[in-house]
Amino acid sequence: MKAARIALRSAAPLAATTTGGGIGRATSEVEHFARYSPSPLSIKQFLDFGSTNACERTSFSFLRHELPVRLANILKEIDFLPSPLLITPSVQLVKSWYVQSLMELVEFREKKPDDHKVLSDFIDAIVKVRNRHHDVVPTMAQGVLEYRDSSKMDPFTNQNIQYFLDRFYMSRISIRMLINQHTLIFDNSNSQGNPKHIGCIDPCCDVVDLVHDAFQSAQMLCDQYYFASPDLKLIQVNGKTAGQPIHIVYVPSHLFHMLFELFKNAMRATVEHQEKKPFLDPIEVTVVLGKEDLSIKISDRGGGVPVRKIESLFSYTYSTAPKPVMDSNNSTPLAGFGYGLPISRLYAKYFQGDLNLCSISGYGTDALIYLKALSTESVEKLPVFNKSACKHYQLAIEADDWCVPSKEPKNLSRQSAVA
């Protein structure tokens, strides 16, 4: 928690601006922008804008409204969290970051897009927002841990936290996407972008190359930790153009994140399950490009997972790794928070894809990534704050209309004797 205290002190300027009338103004701005629904973009729209008619003034005019809208929509949902979770220092810190970012962006609402200094200041502002939100994931995760350790997690509360975090982190992915696109295309001082990319989008993303890169990165970690690692066995099938390499229009960093996480899990399971074998079975990867979908199947022989645990693997309150500890360097690892799989699935769903697990207990697990093959169908999946969202936080879990088996079998002879 030392890192959280340091960050809270750094947020002191916000406290000064949100006292008295400042709080009222911030609340008013959140209410104003939350009335609007976010405007989802397709990968093709990102690509067309960045490659053919990239206009910084147009992008500025869109983002100065769209970014506050996305921030305000999710800020409204934060207030629906259970009070013991909402008042934790970590969650309050994250909320203060979001309010501060929204208020800084609101300052550009009336400024003229023809002013070059305004455009330059806007880039500085959104880079500042991105840097401020860098530790949102571990900080929010720390808040959930604090709440879980101090309060009883009933199924209804757990369901609402899961619902909120899926939407909260999806919103964060989308905000970073917008900021990265703008800065990579229009920030002349930024030389980190790939010249073949349009912002952070690769118009010709080589999927097999990305599989190899992610596998080698995970393999290096596995070797460091276990002094052993399985090999890769890869099959690719181009169902659209037989014999040709598989390319799609996509965000390489998103796909790398998914692959790296799945390879880490597969390698860990394989090494630990087969520790007594003289050699490790390879991890098999099948990449298939169809007319509508790109599918990637990652298969391991790591012993599998019981069916009853599959869904819990995507829960933010479940992890098989040791509980992490926040350190003074603010460099909290995601391992142990249980966020690897759920956030990887969000990356897949962000552009209308999906990530599923199919496991055979005692044998192994198949992890499947589905992505849209067409950039026109790869449209952002964004949370919107409305009556349906409010209702979700208020509805309790209804009683099951199927019999729930008891842990112990009934003693029918005793029941008949009583009768």
Side-chain angles (χ1 to χ4, degrees):
M1 288 304 298
K2 185 177 180 182
R5 290 196 295 271
I6 293 172
L8 278 169
R9 285 198 295 270
S10 69
L14 174 65
T17 61
T18 55
T19 55
I23 293 177
R25 180 170 176 246
T27 302
S28 175
E29 295 293 0
V30 170
E31 292 293 335
H32 169 75
F33 284 103
R35 295 192 190 103
Y36 298 91
S37 294
S39 302
L41 302 173
S42 69
I43 287 184
K44 188 176 189 307
Q45 286 176 303
F46 278 117
L47 201 65
D48 289 347
F49 176 81
S51 59
T52 57
N53 58 343
C55 174
E56 188 172 1
R57 295 189 299 274
T58 303
S59 182
F60 162 77
S61 298
F62 174 71
L63 291 185
R64 69 176 173 182
H65 177 77
E66 182 64 17
L67 286 173
V69 166
R70 297 190 184 192
L71 289 167
N73 268 262
I74 207 63
L75 270 169
K76 292 289 290 183
E77 294 198 34
I78 290 179
D79 289 332
F80 279 89
L81 290 173
S83 295
L85 174 57
L86 183 59
I87 64 174
T88 60
S90 299
V91 173
Q92 283 297 303
L93 176 58
V94 169
K95 184 178 178 181
S96 74
W97 287 340
Y98 273 63
V99 172
Q100 185 175 1
S101 296
L102 185 146
M103 297 306 292
E104 288 175 0
L105 293 170
V106 165
E107 296 299 317
F108 291 90
R109 179 165 47 193
E110 303 298 333
K111 294 189 177 181
K112 297 180 179 179
D114 294 326
D115 188 335
H116 290 292
K117 186 177 187 308
V118 169
L119 298 179
S120 177
D121 289 345
F122 183 71
I123 287 178
D124 292 340
I126 61 177
V127 168
K128 188 176 179 181
V129 168
R130 183 177 61 198
N131 293 340
R132 178 184 298 126
H133 293 208
H134 180 267
D135 289 321
V136 159
V137 175
T139 306
M140 180 62 80
Q142 182 65 24
V144 174
L145 282 180
E146 293 166 9
Y147 173 66
R148 190 178 69 182
D149 291 343
S150 62
S151 305
K152 186 178 180 181
M153 293 277 285
D154 61 88
F156 172 60
T157 301
N158 191 59
Q159 173 185 279
N160 280 350
I161 291 175
Q162 184 76 19
Y163 176 79
F164 167 77
L165 290 177
D166 272 343
R167 295 163 66 81
F168 179 76
Y169 291 130
M170 185 70 89
S171 175
R172 180 178 184 270
I173 290 170
S174 77
I175 290 169
R176 290 182 69 85
M177 179 73 188
L178 293 180
I179 292 175
N180 288 341
Q181 280 299 103
H182 187 86
T183 55
L184 286 170
I185 293 173
F186 300 115
D187 186 0
N188 296 325
S189 64
N190 190 338
S191 59
Q192 296 179 352
N194 188 316
K196 294 182 179 179
H197 293 182
I198 306 299
C200 56
I201 298 172
D202 187 349
C204 195
C205 181
D206 191 321
V207 177
V208 172
D209 272 1
L210 211 52
V211 168
H212 282 292
D213 289 345
F215 187 86
Q216 289 169 6
S217 297
Q219 191 175 43
M220 182 176 66
L221 284 181
C222 189
D223 284 331
Q224 289 176 351
Y225 192 82
Y226 293 104
F227 303 104
S229 62
D231 291 327
L232 172 66
K233 180 181 178 182
L234 190 143
I235 299 171
Q236 59 175 311
V237 178
N238 191 328
K240 292 180 69 177
T241 311
Q244 294 298 310
I246 296 177
H247 295 112
I248 62 168
V249 183
Y250 206 70
V251 184
S253 59
H254 290 188
L255 182 53
F256 182 91
H257 182 105
M258 296 177 240
L259 292 167
F260 180 65
E261 180 62 33
L262 294 177
F263 281 140
K264 281 196 305 178
N265 292 344
M267 289 181 186
R268 176 186 172 194
T270 300
V271 173
E272 292 183 357
H273 183 67
Q274 301 185 11
E275 59 180 349
K276 295 181 180 180
K277 292 185 64 174
F279 60 88
L280 300 174
D281 289 320
I283 292 175
E284 300 181 4
V285 177
T286 305
V287 181
V288 181
L289 179 62
K291 292 182 179 179
E292 295 186 13
D293 302 318
L294 169 80
S295 306
I296 304 173
K297 183 175 75 169
I298 299 174
S299 304
D300 68 59
R301 293 285 301 276
V305 179
V307 173
R308 64 180 176 82
K309 288 187 176 181
I310 289 293
E311 195 56 37
S312 65
L313 296 178
F314 290 101
S315 170
Y316 295 99
T317 56
Y318 177 87
S319 177
T320 58
K323 181 179 175 180
V325 178
M326 295 280 278
D327 63 27
S328 58
N329 295 321
N330 213 20
S331 57
T332 308
L334 285 184
F337 280 123
Y339 282 26
L341 278 175
I343 288 186
S344 293
R345 183 162 66 174
L346 291 183
Y347 272 112
K349 288 186 172 184
Y350 175 50
F351 281 121
Q352 305 299 326
D354 207 350
L355 190 158
N356 296 318
L357 295 180
C358 178
S359 191
I360 301 176
S361 184
Y363 184 79
T365 301
D366 287 349
L368 297 113
I369 298 173
Y370 298 104
L371 305 177
K372 293 293 183 182
L374 302 176
S375 59
T376 52
E377 296 182 358
S378 301
V379 183
E380 289 183 292
K381 185 181 180 71
L382 304 175
V384 56
F385 177 74
N386 54 22
K387 290 182 179 179
S388 296
C390 293
K391 190 179 295 184
H392 189 99
Y393 290 107
Q394 295 163 358
L395 290 177
I397 299 176
E398 296 182 358
D400 201 337
D401 54 358
W402 293 88
C403 292
V404 180
S406 58
K407 294 182 179 179
E408 297 294 332
K410 291 183 178 180
N411 190 331
L412 297 180
S413 60
R414 182 180 299 176
Q415 282 189 336
S416 59
V418 171

